[in-house]
Amino acid sequence: MPKTALIDTLSALLGPGGVLTGADTEAYVQDWRGLYRGQAAAVLRPASTESLARAVQLCAQLRVPIVPQGGNTSLVGGATPDASGAAILISLARLNRIRALDPVDLTLTLEAGVTLKAAQDAAADAGCLLPLSIASEGSASIGGILATNAGGNNTLRYGNARDLALGLELVLPDGQIWSGLRRLRKDNTGYCLRQLFIGSEGTLGIITAAVLKLVPKPVQREVALIAAPSAEAVLALLAALQRADAASLVAFEYMSAESMCLVLRHIPGVTLPLSNAAAHYALIELAAANQQAPLRALLETQLAAALEAGLIEDATLALSDAQRLALWRLREEHTEAQKRAGANIKNDVSVPVSAVPAFLAQATEAVRALIPTIRVAPFGHAGDGNIHFNLVQPPDMPAAAFLAQTDALMQAVNDVVRGFDGSFSAEHGIGRLKPGQMQTWRGGPELDLMRRIKHAIDPHGLMNPGVLLPAPAET
Ligand code: 2HG
Ligand code: ZN
């Protein structure tokens, strides 16, 4: 079928506003970081799972590749089409209904295009909490979050996206709909297929709806920012808080001096509410769903003991919602500040929690050996051992010269990660950025199994080609 006939047929299937072409596809074909720019034959915006399924069936029959896209917030180019213009991009943005919320089951059933923020608000309105929080939650949507198994700030307490999903509705590569929106807490019925699709980055099918677990809404939240002389001290404080009350510790986020400096320099309206700058910072949040838990006293006692022991140099506690949000803003703006500071190279890596200080020291040494003036600006989810070991263009080096060193710098960081049995891809996924490293990290039976699963579910290789799995030539 010629391209124009395909687009006419898809337009008839999806109705008004369902198909965009030409200049109207602009916002969809470039990733947020500006690393990847592709082209799409058309952008589909289906308003129902059924119409999406019919469009996928047609694409499958005609062997047209498909790129699913949620909020287009991928940091690894996972939702950007290639430059050929052959693919149809499917935006889930109009599948944005909350289908059900059950405060007894503590479940939220919602469509893929609901933003995480809207999902959190729906849960809060019903006296519940959707315990997933990521910096891009205003734009990132549930389908993409599940397709990439996003982690974020509360993994420490509640797990990654996959730990919150009880059921899924999917459109398979041949256009079949799998309605697996189950709300069961126990369901041992063979292979757990939904977990195969979660984290598959759109390479096995398109998530159209999900059932997510909720928890009772916290009625107490305590947030503190601390300054510490060393990463070892930061980790010692984490261990102390976990010993004191692991159940109430919902976030323990790390920020290096360099990364904090970039936030203070590039983000208008933020200030550091501490007397002095420090080498390391952590943001701590405790929460409880009952009024009785003595969270404030617990945090004050722990911080006083840490001050006494020299583990921290300074601390501030949020005394109002506004202060709590301001402290979180200091953490959430690191990605934006780094973008504004110049070219940057992201290393979304993880190591065992106990290895974080040694990892930070060794990785810093490794990248400085390559570029002595490099700006090393790590931050991230220390409580999960997930550090965004991000590198920012040095002032004395043009962006192109710095980016030309990307492979060497990532390799240097990954060599250190490997020494700690860590992961080169902690929470952002593989996308288009990292398939070339899959053979090294997941070669042997693991990659072979992944390829066989891919072939079994998507035999024509039409779902998000170029993402996650390396092309045969790359292996
Ligand atoms: C975060 O933790 C996100 O804020 C983004 O995962 C990390 O910019 C990054 O590298
Ligand atoms: Zn993160």
Side-chain angles (χ1 to χ4, degrees):
M1 186 187 277
K3 193 167 134 186
T4 47
L6 169 65
I7 288 168
D8 288 349
T9 313
L10 289 169
S11 301
L13 275 178
L14 299 186
V19 180
L20 308 177
T21 54
D24 292 341
T25 65
E26 199 50 30
Y28 300 84
V29 295
Q30 180 161 333
D31 71 315
W32 182 83
R33 292 176 68 187
L35 280 187
Y36 298 94
R37 193 184 164 72
Q39 278 192 70
V43 171
L44 309 190
R45 301 178 80 247
S48 72
T49 301
E50 292 70 26
S51 62
L52 166 59
R54 285 198 294 277
V56 170
Q57 191 181 25
L58 179 66
C59 290
Q61 281 159 2
L62 300 173
R63 306 282 190 263
V64 176
I66 287 172
V67 176
Q69 188 179 94
N72 199 12
T73 57
S74 174
L75 297 176
V76 290
T80 310
D82 67 16
S84 71
I88 292 282
L89 190 147
I90 299 188
S91 162
L92 280 304
R94 287 210 299 169
L95 282 180
N96 60 359
R97 281 164 290 258
I98 304 276
R99 292 197 191 159
L101 189 151
D102 192 315
V104 177
D105 289 343
L106 286 167
T107 54
L108 176 60
T109 307
L110 73 181
E111 294 182 346
V114 177
T115 63
L116 177 53
K117 177 74 177 64
Q120 291 166 345
D121 290 348
D125 288 348
C128 300
L129 173 77
L130 172 58
L132 188 68
S133 161
I134 60 178
S136 57
E137 62 202 19
S139 314
S141 57
I142 297 302
I145 282 170
L146 289 168
T148 57
N149 184 30
N153 306 331
N154 297 150
T155 301
L156 169 66
R157 175 70 179 83
Y158 298 106
N160 295 300
R162 71 165 74 256
D163 300 303
L164 300 174
L166 293 174
L168 289 186
E169 177 189 87
L170 284 145
V171 172
L172 299 172
D174 61 2
Q176 282 188 81
I177 298 173
W178 172 33
S179 300
L181 289 176
R182 302 188 182 104
R183 293 184 290 158
L184 306 175
R185 303 283 169 159
K186 289 190 171 175
D187 179 27
N188 273 346
T189 48
Y191 304 136
C192 186
L193 293 176
R194 71 173 182 283
Q195 293 296 356
L196 201 52
F197 291 89
I198 297 171
S200 69
E201 302 187 29
T203 62
L204 299 179
I206 304 176
I207 296 171
T208 53
V211 181
L212 299 180
K213 286 184 206 170
L214 303 176
V215 297
K217 189 165 148 183
V219 291
Q220 284 192 71
R221 294 173 84 174
E222 296 294 342
V223 174
L225 177 73
I226 63 99
S230 68
E232 286 77 5
V234 171
L235 263 282
L237 177 62
L238 167 66
L241 289 167
Q242 280 177 319
R243 276 195 305 273
D245 185 7
S248 70
L249 184 63
V250 295
F252 191 94
E253 298 284 299
Y254 170 75
M255 293 157 281
S256 63
E258 180 72 57
S259 197
M260 186 65 98
C261 274
L262 295 176
V263 171
L264 297 171
R265 189 172 321 144
H266 294 285
I267 305 294
V270 300
T271 49
L272 184 69
L274 299 170
S275 359
N276 292 304
H280 305 270
Y281 302 91
L283 186 144
I284 300 155
E285 178 161 328
L286 305 183
N290 64 74
Q291 285 294 1
Q292 290 73 43
L295 289 193
R296 172 76 55 89
L298 187 140
L299 193 52
E300 283 174 349
T301 309
Q302 289 300 322
L303 294 182
L307 262 173
E308 179 82 4
L311 290 182
I312 63 175
E313 293 162 341
D314 200 357
T316 182
L317 252 77
L319 299 177
S320 65
D321 278 352
Q323 286 180 6
R324 181 169 60 77
L325 293 175
L327 290 186
W328 265 111
R329 187 151 181 247
L330 268 175
R331 159 63 184 89
E332 297 286 41
E333 293 285 7
H334 284 248
T335 301
E336 184 60 37
Q338 294 187 359
K339 193 179 189 189
R340 292 183 193 181
N344 46 76
I345 296 169
K346 292 187 186 296
N347 293 283
D348 166 38
V349 300
S350 62
V351 294
V353 176
S354 58
V356 165
F359 162 74
L360 287 169
Q362 290 180 27
T364 302
E365 198 181 321
V367 296
R368 289 215 173 118
L370 293 172
I371 305 179
T373 53
I374 195 165
R375 286 187 280 175
V376 182
F379 66 98
H381 319 287
D384 313 320
N386 172 200
I387 297 296
H388 300 302
F389 195 81
N390 294 352
L391 307 169
V392 182
Q393 173 191 355
D396 60 352
M397 196 182 229
F402 173 60
L403 291 176
Q405 302 256 32
T406 300
D407 287 352
L409 289 162
M410 286 178 96
Q411 175 79 46
V413 174
N414 286 339
D415 286 347
V416 178
V417 171
R418 191 171 293 107
F420 293 106
D421 279 335
S423 173
F424 74 113
S425 170
E427 64 165 1
H428 298 161
I430 303 295
R432 292 190 176 281
L433 185 65
K434 299 183 176 177
Q437 296 171 47
M438 284 293 273
Q439 176 66 34
T440 311
W441 288 84
R442 291 290 180 268
E446 268 183 288
L447 189 53
D448 185 43
L449 272 173
M450 287 192 209
R451 285 194 194 287
R452 283 153 64 186
I453 290 167
K454 167 77 173 170
H455 187 73
I457 297 177
D458 179 23
H460 304 295
L462 297 176
M463 297 303 305
N464 222 2
V467 164
L468 201 160
L469 290 171
E474 284 183 272
T475 62

